[in-house]
Amino acid sequence: MDTDTIAAISTPMGEGGIAVIRVSGPEAVSIADKIYKGKKSLASVPSHTVNYGFIIDPESKERIDEVLVTVMRAPRTFTREDVVEISCHGGMIPVERTLEALLATGARLAEPGEFTKRAFLNGRIDLSQAEAVMDLIRAKTDRAAKMALGQHEGRLSRMINRLRNEILEVLAHLAVNVDYPEYDAEEMTAKLLRERAQEIEREIERLLSTARQGKIIREGIHTAIVGRPNVGKSSLMNALTQENKAIVTDIPGTTRDVIEEYVNVRGIPLRLLDTAGIRETEDVVERIGVERSRQALEQADLILLVLNYAEPLNEEDRRLLQWVRNHTALVIVNKTDLPRKLDLDQVRELSGDLPIITTSLKEERGIEDLEEAISRLFKLGKVDMADGTYVSNARHIHLLKKALESVREVLNGIDAGMPLDMVEIDLKNAWQFLGEVIGDAVAEDLIDQIFSQFCLGK
Ligand code: GDP
Ligand code: ZN
Protein backbone atom coordinates (compact mmCIF):
# COMPACT_ATOMS: atom_id res chain seq x y z
CA MET A 1 0.00 0.00 0.00
CA ASP A 2 1.21 3.50 -0.83
CA THR A 3 2.09 5.55 2.18
CA ASP A 4 3.75 8.57 0.60
CA THR A 5 2.03 11.89 0.06
CA ILE A 6 1.01 12.86 -3.46
CA ALA A 7 0.11 16.19 -5.05
CA ALA A 8 -1.22 17.36 -8.40
CA ILE A 9 -3.18 20.13 -10.07
CA SER A 10 -6.78 18.92 -10.08
CA THR A 11 -8.40 21.49 -12.34
CA PRO A 12 -7.90 21.71 -16.11
CA MET A 13 -4.75 23.42 -17.29
CA GLY A 14 -4.89 26.91 -18.66
CA GLU A 15 -6.20 30.28 -17.65
CA GLY A 16 -9.09 29.84 -15.28
CA GLY A 17 -10.86 31.57 -12.43
CA ILE A 18 -9.26 29.40 -9.81
CA ALA A 19 -7.11 26.31 -9.87
CA VAL A 20 -7.08 23.62 -7.23
CA ILE A 21 -4.06 21.64 -6.13
CA ARG A 22 -4.85 18.48 -4.25
CA VAL A 23 -2.53 16.85 -1.75
CA SER A 24 -3.23 13.44 -0.23
CA GLY A 25 -1.37 11.21 2.18
CA PRO A 26 -0.17 10.96 5.77
CA GLU A 27 2.01 14.08 5.44
CA ALA A 28 -0.50 16.17 3.51
CA VAL A 29 -1.14 18.68 6.31
CA SER A 30 2.44 19.00 7.49
CA ILE A 31 3.81 19.42 3.96
CA ALA A 32 1.21 22.07 3.13
CA ASP A 33 1.99 23.84 6.39
CA LYS A 34 5.61 24.29 5.29
CA ILE A 35 4.56 26.54 2.41
CA TYR A 36 1.45 28.15 3.97
CA LYS A 37 1.16 31.29 6.05
CA GLY A 38 -2.19 32.17 7.63
CA LYS A 39 -3.66 33.11 10.99
CA LYS A 40 -3.12 29.62 12.31
CA SER A 41 -1.01 26.70 11.18
CA LEU A 42 -2.95 24.11 9.19
CA ALA A 43 -1.98 21.51 11.80
CA SER A 44 -4.01 23.44 14.37
CA VAL A 45 -7.20 24.07 12.40
CA PRO A 46 -10.23 21.75 12.71
CA SER A 47 -10.88 19.20 9.97
CA HIS A 48 -13.07 20.16 7.02
CA THR A 49 -12.44 23.88 7.25
CA VAL A 50 -11.44 26.43 4.63
CA ASN A 51 -8.54 28.66 5.62
CA TYR A 52 -7.41 31.94 4.12
CA GLY A 53 -3.71 32.64 3.74
CA PHE A 54 -0.70 32.82 1.48
CA ILE A 55 1.62 30.35 -0.21
CA ILE A 56 5.23 31.20 0.52
CA ASP A 57 8.17 30.07 -1.58
CA PRO A 58 10.11 27.78 0.78
CA GLU A 59 13.48 29.10 -0.43
CA SER A 60 13.07 32.78 -1.26
CA LYS A 61 10.27 33.24 1.31
CA GLU A 62 8.38 35.47 -1.10
CA ARG A 63 4.62 35.22 -1.51
CA ILE A 64 3.56 33.06 -4.43
CA ASP A 65 -0.23 33.46 -4.22
CA GLU A 66 -3.18 34.34 -2.05
CA VAL A 67 -5.08 31.13 -1.39
CA LEU A 68 -7.91 29.27 0.31
CA VAL A 69 -6.77 26.00 1.84
CA THR A 70 -9.22 23.24 2.71
CA VAL A 71 -8.01 20.79 5.30
CA MET A 72 -9.74 17.41 5.45
CA ARG A 73 -8.44 14.77 7.78
CA ALA A 74 -8.86 11.03 7.25
CA PRO A 75 -11.04 9.09 7.02
CA ARG A 76 -13.88 11.30 5.80
CA THR A 77 -12.11 12.26 2.55
CA PHE A 78 -12.12 11.16 -1.06
CA THR A 79 -8.98 9.05 -0.65
CA ARG A 80 -9.63 8.21 3.02
CA GLU A 81 -6.24 9.79 3.67
CA ASP A 82 -5.53 13.28 4.95
CA VAL A 83 -6.34 15.63 2.08
CA VAL A 84 -5.43 19.29 1.60
CA GLU A 85 -6.84 21.28 -1.29
CA ILE A 86 -5.25 24.58 -2.17
CA SER A 87 -7.36 26.94 -4.28
CA CYS A 88 -5.03 29.32 -6.08
CA HIS A 89 -6.05 32.46 -7.85
CA GLY A 90 -5.33 30.95 -11.20
CA GLY A 91 -2.98 31.83 -13.92
CA MET A 92 -0.61 28.99 -14.50
CA ILE A 93 2.49 30.46 -12.93
CA PRO A 94 1.34 30.70 -9.29
CA VAL A 95 -0.31 27.29 -9.60
CA GLU A 96 2.79 25.66 -10.95
CA ARG A 97 5.02 27.38 -8.41
CA THR A 98 2.74 26.20 -5.60
CA LEU A 99 2.92 22.64 -6.89
CA GLU A 100 6.70 22.88 -7.18
CA ALA A 101 6.88 24.16 -3.62
CA LEU A 102 4.88 21.15 -2.42
CA LEU A 103 7.14 18.81 -4.35
CA ALA A 104 10.20 20.52 -2.90
CA THR A 105 8.92 20.02 0.65
CA GLY A 106 8.20 16.30 0.47
CA ALA A 107 5.22 15.54 -1.72
CA ARG A 108 5.48 13.37 -4.81
CA LEU A 109 3.77 14.25 -8.10
CA ALA A 110 0.67 12.06 -8.40
CA GLU A 111 0.33 9.74 -11.35
CA PRO A 112 -2.80 10.10 -13.49
CA GLY A 113 -5.74 8.64 -11.59
CA GLU A 114 -3.72 8.08 -8.44
CA PHE A 115 -6.15 9.90 -6.13
CA THR A 116 -9.02 7.80 -7.40
CA LYS A 117 -6.87 4.70 -7.22
CA ARG A 118 -6.20 5.39 -3.55
CA ALA A 119 -9.91 5.89 -2.97
CA PHE A 120 -10.41 2.46 -4.50
CA LEU A 121 -7.54 0.75 -2.70
CA ASN A 122 -8.66 2.23 0.62
CA GLY A 123 -12.13 0.83 0.11
CA ARG A 124 -13.83 4.18 -0.33
CA ILE A 125 -15.24 3.24 -3.75
CA ASP A 126 -15.34 0.09 -5.85
CA LEU A 127 -13.88 -0.28 -9.31
CA SER A 128 -17.02 0.51 -11.29
CA GLN A 129 -17.41 3.66 -9.22
CA ALA A 130 -13.81 4.60 -9.92
CA GLU A 131 -14.36 4.12 -13.62
CA ALA A 132 -17.42 6.32 -13.32
CA VAL A 133 -15.21 9.12 -12.03
CA MET A 134 -13.35 8.94 -15.30
CA ASP A 135 -16.58 8.91 -17.28
CA LEU A 136 -17.76 11.90 -15.32
CA ILE A 137 -14.62 13.81 -16.23
CA ARG A 138 -15.15 12.94 -19.87
CA ALA A 139 -18.93 13.36 -19.97
CA LYS A 140 -20.01 15.42 -22.94
CA THR A 141 -23.68 15.89 -22.20
CA ASP A 142 -25.85 16.23 -19.13
CA ARG A 143 -27.15 12.75 -19.75
CA ALA A 144 -23.72 11.23 -19.92
CA ALA A 145 -22.80 13.01 -16.71
CA LYS A 146 -25.95 11.76 -14.99
CA MET A 147 -25.28 8.25 -16.11
CA ALA A 148 -21.73 8.41 -14.82
CA LEU A 149 -22.94 9.93 -11.59
CA GLY A 150 -25.46 7.12 -11.13
CA GLN A 151 -22.69 4.62 -11.59
CA HIS A 152 -20.43 6.58 -9.31
CA GLU A 153 -23.07 6.55 -6.63
CA GLY A 154 -22.91 2.81 -6.84
CA ARG A 155 -26.08 1.92 -8.66
CA LEU A 156 -24.40 -0.64 -10.87
CA SER A 157 -22.39 -1.91 -7.93
CA ARG A 158 -25.54 -2.50 -5.88
CA MET A 159 -27.08 -4.35 -8.78
CA ILE A 160 -24.01 -6.53 -9.21
CA ASN A 161 -23.76 -7.18 -5.49
CA ARG A 162 -27.38 -8.28 -5.39
CA LEU A 163 -26.82 -10.69 -8.25
CA ARG A 164 -23.72 -12.07 -6.59
CA ASN A 165 -25.58 -12.59 -3.33
CA GLU A 166 -28.28 -14.47 -5.16
CA ILE A 167 -25.63 -16.70 -6.68
CA LEU A 168 -23.98 -17.20 -3.30
CA GLU A 169 -27.27 -18.32 -1.82
CA VAL A 170 -27.70 -20.88 -4.55
CA LEU A 171 -24.12 -22.02 -4.10
CA ALA A 172 -24.71 -22.42 -0.38
CA HIS A 173 -27.77 -24.48 -1.07
CA LEU A 174 -25.80 -26.61 -3.50
CA ALA A 175 -23.00 -27.12 -0.99
CA VAL A 176 -25.46 -28.58 1.49
CA ASN A 177 -26.79 -30.92 -1.14
CA VAL A 178 -23.39 -31.99 -2.39
CA ASP A 179 -22.05 -32.55 1.11
CA TYR A 180 -25.04 -34.60 2.21
CA PRO A 181 -26.11 -36.41 -0.93
CA GLU A 182 -28.44 -38.69 1.05
CA TYR A 183 -30.21 -35.73 2.62
CA ASP A 184 -32.43 -34.57 -0.20
CA ALA A 185 -33.69 -35.57 -3.56
CA GLU A 186 -31.18 -34.13 -5.99
CA GLU A 187 -34.06 -33.61 -8.34
CA MET A 188 -35.64 -30.99 -6.08
CA THR A 189 -32.40 -29.07 -5.89
CA ALA A 190 -31.98 -29.16 -9.65
CA LYS A 191 -35.46 -27.75 -10.11
CA LEU A 192 -34.84 -24.95 -7.64
CA LEU A 193 -31.42 -24.26 -9.10
CA ARG A 194 -32.92 -24.03 -12.55
CA GLU A 195 -35.43 -21.43 -11.42
CA ARG A 196 -32.85 -19.33 -9.66
CA ALA A 197 -30.39 -19.55 -12.54
CA GLN A 198 -33.09 -18.41 -14.93
CA GLU A 199 -33.83 -15.41 -12.76
CA ILE A 200 -30.17 -14.49 -12.70
CA GLU A 201 -29.98 -15.01 -16.45
CA ARG A 202 -32.89 -12.61 -16.96
CA GLU A 203 -31.35 -9.95 -14.78
CA ILE A 204 -28.01 -10.07 -16.55
CA GLU A 205 -29.80 -9.93 -19.89
CA ARG A 206 -31.70 -6.88 -18.72
CA LEU A 207 -28.50 -5.15 -17.68
CA LEU A 208 -26.89 -5.97 -21.00
CA SER A 209 -29.89 -4.64 -22.89
CA THR A 210 -29.08 -1.18 -21.52
CA ALA A 211 -25.64 -1.40 -23.05
CA ARG A 212 -26.49 0.02 -26.47
CA GLN A 213 -28.21 3.07 -25.00
CA GLY A 214 -25.44 3.36 -22.46
CA LYS A 215 -22.78 3.28 -25.14
CA ILE A 216 -24.57 5.96 -27.14
CA ILE A 217 -24.92 8.21 -24.13
CA ARG A 218 -21.34 7.70 -23.14
CA GLU A 219 -19.50 7.70 -26.44
CA GLY A 220 -21.80 9.60 -28.70
CA ILE A 221 -23.35 8.57 -31.98
CA HIS A 222 -20.75 8.12 -34.67
CA THR A 223 -22.18 10.20 -37.47
CA ALA A 224 -20.97 10.52 -41.04
CA ILE A 225 -22.13 13.13 -43.53
CA VAL A 226 -22.04 11.91 -47.12
CA GLY A 227 -23.06 13.29 -50.48
CA ARG A 228 -21.52 14.35 -53.74
CA PRO A 229 -19.47 17.53 -53.99
CA ASN A 230 -21.15 20.87 -53.44
CA VAL A 231 -24.44 19.61 -52.01
CA GLY A 232 -23.83 21.33 -48.66
CA LYS A 233 -22.03 18.83 -46.44
CA SER A 234 -19.71 21.37 -44.91
CA SER A 235 -22.60 23.78 -44.53
CA LEU A 236 -24.49 21.09 -42.64
CA MET A 237 -21.53 20.43 -40.42
CA ASN A 238 -21.27 24.12 -39.67
CA ALA A 239 -24.98 24.47 -39.04
CA LEU A 240 -24.92 21.62 -36.56
CA THR A 241 -21.86 22.82 -34.74
CA GLN A 242 -23.04 26.42 -34.55
CA GLU A 243 -26.56 25.56 -33.39
CA ASN A 244 -25.35 23.15 -30.82
CA LYS A 245 -22.21 24.59 -29.37
CA ALA A 246 -19.54 22.10 -30.23
CA ILE A 247 -18.17 20.48 -27.16
CA VAL A 248 -14.52 21.07 -26.65
CA THR A 249 -12.66 18.01 -25.59
CA ASP A 250 -9.22 18.31 -24.17
CA ILE A 251 -8.73 14.91 -22.71
CA PRO A 252 -5.07 14.07 -22.50
CA GLY A 253 -4.27 10.78 -24.12
CA THR A 254 -7.16 10.65 -26.53
CA THR A 255 -6.22 9.87 -30.09
CA ARG A 256 -5.90 12.91 -32.24
CA ASP A 257 -5.53 11.18 -35.58
CA VAL A 258 -9.25 10.67 -36.02
CA ILE A 259 -10.65 14.08 -36.61
CA GLU A 260 -14.10 14.52 -35.23
CA GLU A 261 -16.31 17.12 -33.72
CA TYR A 262 -18.84 16.68 -30.95
CA VAL A 263 -22.19 18.35 -31.09
CA ASN A 264 -25.03 18.02 -28.64
CA VAL A 265 -28.35 17.67 -30.45
CA ARG A 266 -31.16 17.75 -27.90
CA GLY A 267 -29.10 15.87 -25.39
CA ILE A 268 -27.86 13.35 -27.93
CA PRO A 269 -24.12 13.52 -28.42
CA LEU A 270 -23.24 13.29 -32.09
CA ARG A 271 -19.72 12.57 -33.04
CA LEU A 272 -19.28 13.97 -36.52
CA LEU A 273 -16.64 11.83 -38.09
CA ASP A 274 -13.70 12.78 -40.18
CA THR A 275 -14.77 16.32 -40.76
CA ALA A 276 -11.45 17.28 -42.23
CA GLY A 277 -11.87 14.50 -44.75
CA ILE A 278 -15.25 15.80 -45.72
CA ARG A 279 -13.95 19.31 -45.93
CA GLU A 280 -10.87 18.54 -47.93
CA THR A 281 -11.79 15.60 -50.09
CA GLU A 282 -14.58 16.92 -52.19
CA ASP A 283 -14.57 13.84 -54.33
CA VAL A 284 -17.12 11.46 -52.87
CA VAL A 285 -16.24 8.68 -55.30
CA GLU A 286 -12.73 8.78 -53.98
CA ARG A 287 -13.93 9.06 -50.40
CA ILE A 288 -16.18 6.07 -50.58
CA GLY A 289 -13.81 4.20 -52.83
CA VAL A 290 -10.97 4.36 -50.38
CA GLU A 291 -11.17 1.30 -48.20
CA ARG A 292 -10.51 3.11 -44.95
CA SER A 293 -13.19 5.70 -45.52
CA ARG A 294 -15.59 2.96 -46.38
CA GLN A 295 -14.80 1.19 -43.15
CA ALA A 296 -15.32 4.38 -41.20
CA LEU A 297 -18.66 4.84 -42.92
CA GLU A 298 -19.67 1.25 -42.29
CA GLN A 299 -18.96 1.75 -38.62
CA ALA A 300 -21.03 4.90 -38.36
CA ASP A 301 -24.14 4.68 -36.17
CA LEU A 302 -25.85 7.35 -38.23
CA ILE A 303 -25.39 8.52 -41.80
CA LEU A 304 -26.63 11.85 -43.06
CA LEU A 305 -26.95 11.73 -46.85
CA VAL A 306 -27.20 15.16 -48.44
CA LEU A 307 -28.85 15.65 -51.87
CA ASN A 308 -29.17 18.79 -53.95
CA TYR A 309 -32.72 20.08 -54.55
CA ALA A 310 -31.51 22.22 -57.41
CA GLU A 311 -30.03 19.42 -59.48
CA PRO A 312 -31.47 16.22 -60.93
CA LEU A 313 -30.56 12.97 -59.27
CA ASN A 314 -27.42 11.55 -60.83
CA GLU A 315 -25.80 8.15 -60.85
CA GLU A 316 -23.76 8.91 -57.77
CA ASP A 317 -26.78 10.06 -55.77
CA ARG A 318 -28.52 6.82 -56.70
CA ARG A 319 -25.56 4.74 -55.62
CA LEU A 320 -25.38 6.54 -52.28
CA LEU A 321 -29.12 6.14 -51.74
CA GLN A 322 -28.82 2.47 -52.50
CA TRP A 323 -26.06 2.14 -50.00
CA VAL A 324 -27.58 4.10 -47.12
CA ARG A 325 -30.84 2.17 -47.30
CA ASN A 326 -29.33 -0.58 -45.18
CA HIS A 327 -28.11 1.82 -42.52
CA THR A 328 -29.52 4.06 -39.87
CA ALA A 329 -29.68 7.16 -42.00
CA LEU A 330 -31.48 10.37 -42.83
CA VAL A 331 -31.83 11.83 -46.31
CA ILE A 332 -31.42 15.58 -46.40
CA VAL A 333 -32.59 17.44 -49.48
CA ASN A 334 -30.76 20.75 -49.34
CA LYS A 335 -30.90 24.05 -51.25
CA THR A 336 -34.70 24.29 -51.27
CA ASP A 337 -34.33 28.04 -51.73
CA LEU A 338 -33.29 27.38 -55.33
CA PRO A 339 -35.61 26.27 -58.17
CA ARG A 340 -36.38 22.55 -57.95
CA LYS A 341 -34.72 20.17 -60.38
CA LEU A 342 -34.81 17.08 -58.17
CA ASP A 343 -37.54 14.47 -58.61
CA LEU A 344 -38.71 14.06 -55.02
CA ASP A 345 -40.92 11.07 -55.79
CA GLN A 346 -37.92 9.29 -57.14
CA VAL A 347 -35.96 10.15 -54.01
CA ARG A 348 -38.78 8.80 -51.85
CA GLU A 349 -38.85 5.61 -53.84
CA LEU A 350 -35.11 5.09 -53.58
CA SER A 351 -34.95 5.97 -49.88
CA GLY A 352 -37.20 3.13 -48.76
CA ASP A 353 -38.29 3.91 -45.23
CA LEU A 354 -35.62 6.49 -44.49
CA PRO A 355 -36.90 9.84 -43.25
CA ILE A 356 -36.44 12.69 -45.75
CA ILE A 357 -35.85 16.20 -44.49
CA THR A 358 -35.77 19.30 -46.66
CA THR A 359 -33.44 22.13 -45.76
CA SER A 360 -32.07 25.37 -46.97
CA LEU A 361 -28.89 25.68 -45.04
CA LYS A 362 -28.24 29.00 -46.71
CA GLU A 363 -31.46 30.41 -45.28
CA GLU A 364 -31.14 28.37 -42.11
CA ARG A 365 -34.37 26.51 -42.68
CA GLY A 366 -35.09 22.87 -41.83
CA ILE A 367 -32.41 22.46 -39.19
CA GLU A 368 -35.03 22.09 -36.43
CA ASP A 369 -36.71 19.32 -38.41
CA LEU A 370 -33.40 17.57 -38.83
CA GLU A 371 -32.70 17.70 -35.11
CA GLU A 372 -36.18 16.43 -34.39
CA ALA A 373 -35.61 13.51 -36.76
CA ILE A 374 -32.30 12.68 -35.12
CA SER A 375 -33.78 12.68 -31.64
CA ARG A 376 -36.70 10.53 -32.82
CA LEU A 377 -34.28 8.07 -34.35
CA PHE A 378 -32.41 7.54 -31.12
CA LYS A 379 -35.37 7.97 -28.80
CA LEU A 380 -33.26 8.93 -25.85
CA GLY A 381 -35.95 11.33 -24.76
CA LYS A 382 -37.95 8.36 -23.57
CA VAL A 383 -35.24 6.88 -21.45
CA ASP A 384 -35.85 7.48 -17.79
CA MET A 385 -32.57 8.31 -16.22
CA ALA A 386 -33.97 8.43 -12.70
CA ASP A 387 -34.02 4.72 -12.06
CA GLY A 388 -31.85 3.64 -14.94
CA THR A 389 -28.92 1.46 -14.23
CA TYR A 390 -26.84 1.71 -17.34
CA VAL A 391 -24.03 -0.46 -18.47
CA SER A 392 -21.86 1.51 -20.79
CA ASN A 393 -18.33 0.51 -20.11
CA ALA A 394 -16.83 -2.00 -22.56
CA ARG A 395 -15.08 -3.88 -19.78
CA HIS A 396 -18.33 -4.26 -17.84
CA ILE A 397 -20.21 -5.38 -20.94
CA HIS A 398 -17.57 -7.99 -21.67
CA LEU A 399 -17.70 -9.35 -18.12
CA LEU A 400 -21.49 -9.40 -18.02
CA LYS A 401 -21.48 -11.38 -21.25
CA LYS A 402 -19.06 -13.87 -19.73
CA ALA A 403 -21.25 -14.14 -16.65
CA LEU A 404 -24.28 -14.68 -18.85
CA GLU A 405 -22.49 -17.44 -20.76
CA SER A 406 -21.63 -19.15 -17.48
CA VAL A 407 -25.21 -18.96 -16.24
CA ARG A 408 -26.38 -20.44 -19.52
CA GLU A 409 -23.87 -23.24 -19.06
CA VAL A 410 -25.49 -23.87 -15.69
CA LEU A 411 -28.88 -24.16 -17.35
CA ASN A 412 -27.54 -26.42 -20.11
CA GLY A 413 -25.85 -28.57 -17.51
CA ILE A 414 -29.04 -29.03 -15.53
CA ASP A 415 -31.00 -29.86 -18.65
CA ALA A 416 -28.37 -32.39 -19.69
CA GLY A 417 -28.65 -34.01 -16.27
CA MET A 418 -25.08 -33.21 -15.31
CA PRO A 419 -24.08 -33.83 -11.69
CA LEU A 420 -24.68 -30.72 -9.64
CA ASP A 421 -21.09 -30.33 -8.49
CA MET A 422 -20.16 -29.87 -12.15
CA VAL A 423 -22.85 -27.26 -12.61
CA GLU A 424 -21.57 -25.55 -9.51
CA ILE A 425 -18.31 -24.69 -11.27
CA ASP A 426 -20.11 -22.63 -13.90
CA LEU A 427 -22.11 -20.85 -11.25
CA LYS A 428 -18.93 -19.96 -9.41
CA ASN A 429 -17.52 -18.60 -12.68
CA ALA A 430 -20.54 -16.35 -13.10
CA TRP A 431 -20.01 -15.07 -9.55
CA GLN A 432 -16.35 -14.45 -10.36
CA PHE A 433 -17.03 -12.52 -13.58
CA LEU A 434 -19.59 -10.32 -11.86
CA GLY A 435 -17.05 -9.68 -9.12
CA GLU A 436 -14.56 -8.38 -11.64
CA VAL A 437 -16.99 -5.63 -12.64
CA ILE A 438 -16.74 -4.12 -9.18
CA GLY A 439 -13.06 -4.86 -8.79
CA ASP A 440 -13.25 -7.95 -6.67
CA ALA A 441 -10.53 -10.34 -7.78
CA VAL A 442 -9.15 -8.06 -10.46
CA ALA A 443 -5.51 -8.56 -11.30
CA GLU A 444 -3.26 -5.75 -10.17
CA ASP A 445 -1.97 -4.92 -13.63
CA LEU A 446 -5.53 -4.43 -14.83
CA ILE A 447 -6.13 -2.02 -11.97
CA ASP A 448 -3.02 -0.09 -12.93
CA GLN A 449 -4.15 0.00 -16.54
CA ILE A 450 -7.61 1.28 -15.66
CA PHE A 451 -6.33 4.03 -13.41
CA SER A 452 -3.63 5.13 -15.80
CA GLN A 453 -6.37 6.27 -18.20
CA PHE A 454 -7.33 9.03 -15.83
CA CYS A 455 -6.06 12.51 -16.31
CA LEU A 456 -3.60 14.01 -13.93
CA GLY A 457 -4.93 15.28 -10.64
CA LYS A 458 -7.90 12.96 -10.36
P1 GDP B 1 -20.02 20.34 -49.80
O1 GDP B 1 -19.11 20.33 -50.95
O2 GDP B 1 -21.03 19.23 -49.89
O3 GDP B 1 -19.34 20.36 -48.47
O4 GDP B 1 -20.90 21.67 -49.91
P2 GDP B 1 -20.68 23.07 -49.18
O5 GDP B 1 -21.29 23.04 -47.84
O6 GDP B 1 -19.26 23.47 -49.30
O7 GDP B 1 -21.59 24.00 -50.07
C1 GDP B 1 -21.34 24.18 -51.46
C2 GDP B 1 -21.91 25.51 -51.87
O8 GDP B 1 -23.34 25.49 -51.75
C3 GDP B 1 -21.45 26.67 -51.02
O9 GDP B 1 -21.22 27.78 -51.86
C4 GDP B 1 -22.61 26.93 -50.09
O10 GDP B 1 -22.68 28.26 -49.67
C5 GDP B 1 -23.78 26.57 -50.96
N1 GDP B 1 -24.96 26.14 -50.19
C6 GDP B 1 -25.00 25.31 -49.12
N2 GDP B 1 -26.27 25.16 -48.70
C7 GDP B 1 -27.03 25.91 -49.51
C8 GDP B 1 -28.46 26.17 -49.58
O11 GDP B 1 -29.28 25.67 -48.80
N3 GDP B 1 -28.89 26.99 -50.58
C9 GDP B 1 -28.02 27.56 -51.46
N4 GDP B 1 -28.53 28.36 -52.39
N5 GDP B 1 -26.69 27.36 -51.41
C10 GDP B 1 -26.20 26.53 -50.46
ZN1 ZN C 1 -8.95 16.55 -15.58
Side-chain angles (χ1 to χ4, degrees):
M1 179 85 32
D2 298 304
T3 49
D4 56 352
T5 295
I6 53 174
I9 301 168
S10 278
T11 39
M13 296 295 182
E15 300 292 324
I18 58 163
V20 176
I21 295 170
R22 189 187 261 169
V23 192
S24 178
E27 308 291 325
V29 178
S30 63
I31 289 173
D33 244 343
K34 288 182 199 156
I35 63 161
Y36 169 82
K37 180 118 192 56
K39 255 192 181 155
K40 293 183 194 164
S41 75
L42 298 173
S44 65
V45 302
S47 186
H48 293 76
T49 55
V50 181
N51 304 277
Y52 172 81
F54 294 91
I55 296 298
I56 308 294
D57 187 311
E59 278 179 19
S60 67
K61 308 291 176 207
E62 66 173 322
R63 281 183 181 182
I64 294 176
D65 201 3
E66 188 184 24
V67 292
L68 290 174
V69 180
T70 312
V71 174
M72 292 164 282
R73 292 198 177 78
R76 276 200 310 124
T77 70
F78 179 61
T79 54
R80 287 203 167 156
E81 301 173 330
D82 284 354
V83 171
V84 173
E85 285 182 358
I86 304 173
S87 300
C88 294
H89 260 109
M92 276 324 288
I93 294 184
V95 177
E96 273 167 7
R97 283 186 66 195
T98 303
L99 180 61
E100 273 165 29
L102 287 165
L103 300 181
T105 48
R108 170 173 66 76
L109 184 66
E111 288 160 23
E114 199 170 1
F115 292 101
T116 314
K117 184 176 174 182
R118 286 188 175 191
F120 166 68
L121 291 174
N122 293 331
R124 163 85 163 57
I125 54 176
D126 75 28
L127 196 57
S128 77
Q129 287 173 303
E131 286 169 315
V133 173
M134 186 160 67
D135 286 347
L136 206 53
I137 297 164
R138 293 184 170 177
K140 292 176 188 67
T141 63
D142 285 352
R143 261 205 187 85
K146 265 187 205 143
M147 185 172 74
L149 201 58
Q151 188 180 324
H152 183 48
E153 284 164 355
R155 222 171 263 158
L156 180 63
S157 319
R158 278 199 295 279
M159 195 82 178
I160 298 283
N161 278 323
R162 222 184 58 215
L163 275 172
R164 290 186 93 205
N165 283 338
E166 279 171 35
I167 293 176
L168 268 190
E169 267 176 41
V170 179
L171 282 172
H173 194 96
L174 272 179
V176 172
N177 192 279
V178 172
D179 289 351
Y180 310 96
E182 75 284 0
Y183 150 78
D184 205 344
E186 177 148 323
E187 216 174 289
M188 269 303 290
T189 311
K191 185 166 172 289
L192 183 77
L193 177 60
R194 189 163 210 301
E195 277 168 21
R196 302 294 293 271
Q198 263 176 335
E199 260 170 55
I200 293 163
E201 181 191 28
R202 266 196 300 275
E203 285 191 55
I204 300 177
E205 277 171 345
R206 207 187 56 72
L207 267 179
L208 275 171
S209 72
T210 67
R212 181 178 175 263
Q213 290 280 43
K215 181 173 173 287
I216 285 174
I217 295 171
R218 180 173 182 265
E219 292 182 9
I221 294 165
H222 290 248
T223 306
I225 301 176
V226 300
R228 61 181 157 103
N230 223 35
V231 292
K233 295 182 298 296
S234 306
S235 307
L236 178 61
M237 175 87 71
N238 291 339
L240 285 172
T241 48
Q242 273 159 28
E243 283 273 307
N244 304 288
K245 191 157 87 59
I247 298 143
V248 185
T249 55
D250 61 350
I251 309 154
T254 48
T255 39
R256 292 274 171 191
D257 52 344
V258 183
I259 295 142
E260 48 188 27
E261 232 166 310
Y262 281 90
V263 298
N264 180 347
V265 173
R266 307 194 179 179
I268 302 169
L270 295 193
R271 216 164 147 162
L272 299 171
L273 295 182
D274 201 7
T275 70
I278 289 168
R279 277 178 188 155
E280 285 157 25
T281 314
E282 292 294 285
D283 188 352
V284 182
V285 185
E286 184 193 294
R287 253 185 76 71
I288 305 225
V290 174
E291 191 52 33
R292 250 190 62 206
S293 304
R294 188 189 276 278
Q295 270 174 11
L297 287 179
E298 287 291 349
Q299 281 164 11
D301 303 312
L302 170 66
I303 291 162
L304 304 177
L305 169 60
V306 187
L307 301 174
N308 190 344
Y309 183 80
E311 279 175 24
L313 217 56
N314 74 5
E315 197 44 45
E316 202 175 322
D317 293 327
R318 277 196 199 89
R319 220 160 37 78
L320 285 167
L321 273 165
Q322 193 69 35
W323 176 73
V324 297
R325 274 175 70 143
N326 310 317
H327 295 76
T328 304
L330 293 172
V331 177
I332 296 154
V333 176
N334 185 40
K335 304 202 186 186
T336 53
D337 55 290
L338 297 175
R340 182 172 67 82
K341 296 245 177 68
L342 191 70
D343 183 347
L344 282 172
D345 285 335
Q346 204 183 359
V347 172
R348 263 178 226 118
E349 212 172 285
L350 289 169
S351 320
D353 294 329
L354 297 181
I356 300 170
I357 293 112
T358 53
T359 60
S360 166
L361 294 169
K362 187 183 167 204
E363 298 185 345
E364 297 179 6
R365 280 190 285 116
I367 299 163
E368 286 275 301
D369 293 342
L370 173 61
E371 292 179 0
E372 182 61 37
I374 291 171
S375 81
R376 252 203 312 274
L377 218 45
F378 290 91
K379 290 199 185 76
L380 289 181
K382 294 195 176 125
V383 176
D384 183 8
M385 293 306 295
D387 72 323
T389 306
Y390 278 90
V391 185
S392 62
N393 179 295
R395 194 182 69 86
H396 300 170
I397 292 169
H398 173 73
L399 289 167
L400 283 169
K401 281 185 178 157
K402 296 285 251 184
L404 185 62
E405 268 170 37
S406 302
V407 173
R408 285 182 176 154
E409 283 300 311
V410 171
L411 289 168
N412 290 340
I414 297 169
D415 290 345
M418 258 166 52
L420 288 185
D421 51 348
M422 298 288 286
V423 173
E424 194 183 347
I425 294 170
D426 289 313
L427 204 53
K428 274 187 181 149
N429 284 341
W431 185 78
Q432 181 83 14
F433 288 129
L434 291 173
E436 285 182 38
V437 174
I438 53 175
D440 209 35
V442 178
E444 197 169 327
D445 53 348
L446 179 64
I447 290 175
D448 285 342
Q449 189 207 322
I450 289 168
F451 284 99
S452 67
Q453 294 170 43
F454 280 74
C455 52
L456 222 58
K458 292 296 182 305

